[in-house]
Amino acid sequence: MFKSGFLLDTDEKITAALYNQTPVSVWKNGKLYYEGGPIQEQTEEAVYINDGYFLKATCIFKIA
């Protein structure tokens, strides 16, 4: 569905990646912060990947 590097910039895109179990990378301050994996859950404030959480306000999520 998504290509590598595709920006997940809306809750709907994050939900689609969660549903498809697409591996996601996490970026912070323009640098790769976490290579990631499939999204386990999302809330209004955070995305949960591999039992860790990343705040939407400070992180950028992309398809790995």
Side-chain angles (χ1 to χ4, degrees):
M1 179 178 176
F2 298 120
K3 292 185 179 182
S4 181
F6 185 84
L7 182 62
L8 302 174
D9 56 355
T10 66
D11 288 344
E12 291 80 13
K13 291 176 184 175
I14 292 171
T15 299
L18 183 151
Y19 177 77
N20 291 309
Q21 290 297 288
T22 307
V24 173
S25 60
V26 181
W27 295 74
K28 195 170 185 180
N29 298 324
K31 296 181 182 179
L32 182 61
Y33 183 71
Y34 185 73
E35 288 193 40
I39 298 170
Q40 296 171 305
E41 180 184 354
Q42 81 165 314
T43 65
E44 198 171 307
E45 296 86 24
V47 174
Y48 294 81
I49 302 171
N50 292 333
D51 296 324
Y53 71 94
F54 303 92
L55 297 176
K56 292 179 180 180
T58 60
C59 296
I60 294 173
F61 305 94
K62 296 181 182 181
I63 299 299

